[in-house]
Amino acid sequence: MLKVKGLSITFLSIVALSFSPVISLAADSKEESVKKESVEISSKIDKALDSVNTKYQEVESLKSEVSKTEETIKETQNNIKETEKSIEKRTVLMGDRMKNMQENNSSMGVMDAILTAENMSDFFNRVYAVTVLQGAEKAKVDSLAEDKAKLDELRGSLETDKASLTEKQSTMEQEATSLENDVDSLKAELSNNQAVLDKLSKDKMVKEAKAKKVAVEVANRKEVEAKAQTRETAEKEKAPISSTTKVSQPVKEEVATPEPETTPEEPKPTEPSSGGQTMQMEATGYSYTQPGLSFYTATGIDLRQNSRVIAVDPGTIPLGSVVEVSGYGIAVAGDTGGDIVGNRIDLHFNTIDECKNWGRRSVSVTVR
């Protein structure tokens, strides 16, 4: 009879303790769904960041081309001015010569020089010399005019190229801004998912704590009642039937009610201390492929899916911030480290060789 009671007590305890996993099944399913969605969002963020960096590189390249074109235009304009001065100088010189010839009857002197030739051969030589001199002056002016025309054409072409490059630069900057907005939206979505995960985790802990408490209380109560009943039966069987015999009363055990479990206080969010500002920091590299390192960051980002991550001191740069690091690009502040304090940051690379190539550098960090 006692064994049967003992078995029933054990069975009740097992049933009570089995409530916890049944209660958490729905929460586990939702939690896995949210985690899967977070991984997909992280992958989208990584692709968006790559696109942003590509666009910024294209913008910088276009800026460089625009700058070179402006320098060429400036040089061409200077050449045009010099050519115009030369044409003007040659034209004035030719005009002065004609004027002198008219004032001093030089034309007659030239004719006399030709007509006073000693023979026909000398005559033709003198005529040829005068023709060559006059032709050389005209050819020089014509050549300078052609050079000016070519320079004017080149300047027009360069101005067209500059306008086209400027338009492309503006388009690229707009696309980069649009991609940045996409990153911000994905970041907000990922943050919302993290908040849902935190709430699910907290609710799950509370439910499990309550279920365990109920199970323990049920098991303790049944066990105490069974022991009391067993003692009472045993004492009745042993005690002699006598008027002077006092029947001992069963001793009732007191069971200490377990203290309610308390959930740890959630950390308060860090107030952004440098939003929009640029800071000078020391940067080293790290990779999840290094021995002993996990591919998950302190904020739960999977580095295999989203590799563009930096480790920061949350007191200096808030976790979750989108930052721009000189020489590295745009990334998410999504990890921490024991040595990452103050103006120290760690940049994630996919390979150890990339980390070695980076070494330690002084960089400028802008929180966007």
Side-chain angles (χ1 to χ4, degrees):
M1 189 68 178
L2 292 174
K3 291 181 179 179
V4 174
K5 289 181 178 179
L7 287 173
S8 69
I9 292 168
T10 305
F11 176 73
L12 287 171
S13 300
I14 293 173
V15 171
L17 289 171
S18 67
F19 288 162
S20 176
V22 172
I23 292 173
S24 63
L25 282 177
D28 287 344
S29 176
K30 187 173 182 181
E31 186 175 356
E32 287 300 320
S33 175
V34 176
K35 283 182 178 179
K36 184 179 178 181
E37 189 177 350
S38 295
V39 170
E40 293 175 356
I41 294 172
S42 294
S43 178
K44 290 179 182 178
I45 289 176
D46 192 41
K47 291 178 181 178
L49 287 175
D50 284 340
S51 298
V52 170
N53 286 323
T54 300
K55 289 297 178 185
Y56 273 115
Q57 288 174 2
E58 291 175 358
V59 169
E60 290 302 318
S61 177
L62 286 172
K63 284 182 179 179
S64 177
E65 288 186 40
V66 169
S67 178
K68 289 179 181 178
T69 303
E70 287 176 345
E71 288 295 325
T72 306
I73 290 173
K74 186 177 180 181
E75 182 180 351
T76 303
Q77 288 175 334
N78 290 335
N79 291 337
I80 290 173
K81 289 180 180 179
E82 292 297 325
T83 304
E84 288 175 342
K85 288 180 180 179
S86 296
I87 292 174
E88 184 180 358
K89 184 177 179 181
R90 287 282 178 180
T91 303
V92 171
L93 185 60
M94 288 179 64
D96 290 342
R97 286 181 179 176
M98 292 296 295
K99 185 177 179 181
N100 289 333
M101 288 174 65
Q102 291 176 355
E103 291 177 350
N104 302 322
N105 294 321
S106 296
S107 58
M108 294 302 297
V110 172
M111 292 299 297
D112 290 341
I114 294 174
L115 294 175
T116 56
E118 297 178 358
N119 50 47
M120 288 299 294
S121 175
D122 186 28
F123 172 79
F124 284 118
N125 286 336
R126 292 186 182 192
V127 170
Y128 177 73
V130 171
T131 303
V132 168
L133 289 172
Q134 292 177 344
E137 288 295 333
K138 185 176 183 303
K140 184 65 175 177
V141 173
D142 291 343
S143 175
L144 289 171
E146 289 177 2
D147 290 343
K148 180 179 179 298
K150 290 179 181 179
L151 288 171
D152 285 335
E153 183 180 352
L154 175 61
R155 181 177 63 180
S157 176
L158 289 171
E159 291 288 355
T160 302
D161 291 344
K162 177 187 173 183
S164 176
L165 289 171
T166 303
E167 184 178 355
K168 286 182 181 179
Q169 178 184 336
S170 177
T171 301
M172 288 293 179
E173 288 175 347
Q174 290 176 2
E175 291 178 1
T177 301
S178 177
L179 286 170
E180 279 190 18
N181 293 334
D182 291 343
V183 171
D184 290 339
S185 298
L186 289 170
K187 174 187 163 187
E189 191 175 346
L190 184 62
S191 178
N192 291 337
N193 273 32
Q194 188 61 45
V196 172
L197 282 174
D198 291 343
K199 187 176 185 303
L200 285 173
S201 179
K202 184 177 179 180
D203 291 345
K204 181 180 176 182
M205 288 172 59
V206 171
K207 287 180 180 178
E208 288 180 351
K210 288 180 178 179
K212 288 178 181 180
K213 181 181 177 184
V214 170
V216 170
E217 288 177 348
V218 170
N220 286 342
R221 186 174 67 251
K222 295 294 184 181
E223 186 176 357
V224 169
E225 291 175 355
K227 286 182 178 181
Q229 187 177 0
T230 301
R231 273 199 306 273
E232 185 178 356
T233 303
E235 289 175 357
K236 285 181 179 179
E237 290 176 353
K238 292 180 181 179
I241 301 174
S242 172
S243 58
T244 58
T245 304
K246 294 183 178 179
V247 180
S248 59
Q249 297 296 324
V251 179
K252 198 169 185 179
E253 293 185 3
E254 294 183 359
V255 180
T257 303
E259 294 291 331
E261 295 185 15
T262 58
T263 56
E265 184 180 354
E266 295 182 358
K268 296 181 180 178
T270 306
E271 292 293 332
S273 60
S274 54
Q277 295 183 355
T278 298
M279 299 166 283
Q280 204 67 23
M281 295 190 159
E282 289 292 321
T284 52
Y286 77 106
S287 174
Y288 77 87
T289 58
Q290 291 174 277
L293 293 186
S294 168
F295 44 74
Y296 284 111
T297 69
T299 58
I301 296 174
D302 188 343
L303 294 172
R304 298 170 299 179
Q305 301 292 331
N306 184 6
S307 62
R308 190 76 62 170
V309 174
I310 70 171
V312 300
D313 179 354
T316 305
I317 299 177
L319 288 172
S321 300
V322 174
V323 299
E324 183 175 2
V325 182
S326 60
Y328 182 72
I330 297 176
V332 176
D335 207 355
T336 59
D339 294 329
I340 307 304
V341 180
N343 66 339
R344 286 281 309 278
I345 60 173
D346 226 349
L347 313 178
H348 179 263
F349 295 93
N350 287 321
T351 65
I352 297 175
D353 287 338
E354 288 176 292
C355 298
K356 291 180 179 178
N357 290 337
W358 177 269
R360 179 189 295 272
R361 303 184 190 180
S362 176
V363 297
S364 60
V365 181
T366 302
V367 180
R368 293 184 169 272

